[in-house]
Amino acid sequence: MPIPNPTLRSLASLLSGLLAIFLLSLATDALLHATHIFPPWGQPMSNSLFALALAYRIVYAIAGCTITARLAPNRPMLHALILGLIGVVLSTAATIATWHKGPEFGPHWYPLALIATSLPCAYLGAKLHLDSL
């Protein structure tokens, strides 16, 4: 059943994209830990494994922003960019919380890359949706 209120539809589109990103990232992390591609939770990882994590997070961020743009009641690019800003805020908060907390949180380039890629991923996700119209 469609949500009639545009504000609720906007919020639902943002929440849908955010949940997709979180769930896909968490499921992939769990799978890579379970298959011993990643070391056990809480153990340090190599730069190459963090690069792998960044790569699939970029793909998932683009996909989540595409979902948000597709479900947005209007202005899909704006909705996707708002989700990208949410990604910047959440990534920045996580970076601040884990900075210098130990090698299990990864090299400093990793959280900075997550911050830096949030808005470009949002733009690309919305662009994929708009180009499909």
Side-chain angles (χ1 to χ4, degrees):
M1 180 170 125
I3 302 170
N5 183 320
T7 302
L8 290 178
R9 286 182 60 201
S10 288
L11 291 172
S13 73
L14 290 166
L15 184 59
S16 296
L18 187 62
L19 280 175
I21 295 165
F22 280 155
L23 293 176
L24 287 168
S25 296
L26 187 57
T28 304
D29 288 347
L31 177 67
L32 292 175
H33 282 288
T35 58
H36 306 289
I37 294 169
F38 283 0
W41 292 97
Q43 297 296 312
M45 293 195 322
S46 68
N47 277 332
S48 60
L49 292 177
F50 276 103
L52 173 61
L54 176 63
Y56 64 75
R57 279 177 167 71
I58 287 172
V59 172
Y60 297 159
I62 293 169
C65 290
T66 302
I67 290 167
T68 291
R70 180 172 167 78
L71 296 176
N74 54 38
R75 298 181 294 188
M77 180 64 76
L78 177 62
H79 283 77
L81 290 174
I82 289 170
L83 183 55
L85 284 173
I86 292 168
V88 168
V89 169
L90 293 176
S91 295
T92 300
T95 299
I96 292 167
T98 60
W99 201 259
H100 294 303
K101 296 291 184 186
E104 63 274 15
F105 291 102
H108 288 148
W109 66 262
Y110 176 71
L112 296 175
L114 292 174
I115 296 167
T117 58
S118 291
L119 285 174
C121 289
Y123 175 82
L124 288 172
K127 188 87 169 98
L128 282 173
H129 166 66
L130 293 170
D131 287 350
S132 72
L133 296 179

